[in-house]
Amino acid sequence: EVQLVESGGGLVQAGGSLRLSCAASGFTFDEYVIGWFRQAPGKEREGVSCIRSSDGSTYYADSVKGRFTISSDNAKNTVYLQVNDLEPEDTSVYYCAARGAIATAMSHCRFVRDYNDMDYWGKGTLVTVSS
């Protein structure tokens, strides 16, 4: 069975930081692109950051460049998203998702809008940033 389990969300003040984790199981980690996506109330789901662990390729949304960092630990089958300098606009449910690496260019993460745009999804972890 394929599972993606997110953790690390919480309530922080503006300017604070969190480290989100996505623990993957049930598939070959290196053969998938793993990404973080978010959907805030009243907004579309958007790609935040993605990583192809086999070659280290990454994608970041313009809104998070310089503040968020994605990384992977193949030994633990885990992808992390370090989120720094958080802003109230970052408040959202953050979802981890996976898609086969061969079929997925990094640019794909820019255009994800709903559930069907990735193969597997976690249930999400809530990040709330107060002013």
Side-chain angles (χ1 to χ4, degrees):
E1 63 188 301
V2 173
Q3 281 198 113
L4 296 170
V5 181
E6 304 98 330
S7 62
L11 173 64
V12 298
Q13 294 183 342
S17 299
L18 291 169
R19 188 193 191 199
L20 309 183
S21 297
C22 172
S25 62
F27 61 93
T28 303
F29 192 73
D30 283 349
E31 295 179 356
Y32 284 78
V33 168
I34 310 295
W36 288 94
F37 304 82
R38 66 186 183 187
Q39 187 165 23
K43 295 186 177 181
E44 293 184 317
R45 187 167 299 194
E46 64 176 342
V48 176
S49 184
C50 291
I51 187 167
R52 189 191 306 271
S53 62
S54 61
D55 64 8
S57 298
T58 59
Y59 160 81
Y60 293 97
D62 289 343
S63 61
V64 306
K65 285 183 178 178
R67 299 190 297 122
F68 292 10
T69 303
I70 193 168
S71 62
S72 64
D73 185 337
N74 288 9
K76 297 181 179 179
N77 284 354
T78 300
V79 170
Y80 304 96
L81 186 69
Q82 179 69 39
V83 295
N84 298 329
D85 300 318
L86 286 164
E87 305 166 354
E89 292 76 16
D90 295 316
T91 294
S92 186
V93 176
Y94 284 71
Y95 299 92
C96 179
R99 193 168 188 262
I102 294 175
T104 307
M106 298 309 300
S107 59
H108 178 80
C109 296
R110 180 185 299 272
F111 301 106
V112 170
R113 295 290 183 272
D114 61 39
Y115 181 87
N116 293 317
D117 292 330
M118 299 290 282
D119 293 337
Y120 309 113
W121 291 88
K123 295 180 179 179
T125 185
L126 177 63
V127 172
T128 303
V129 185
S130 62
S131 300

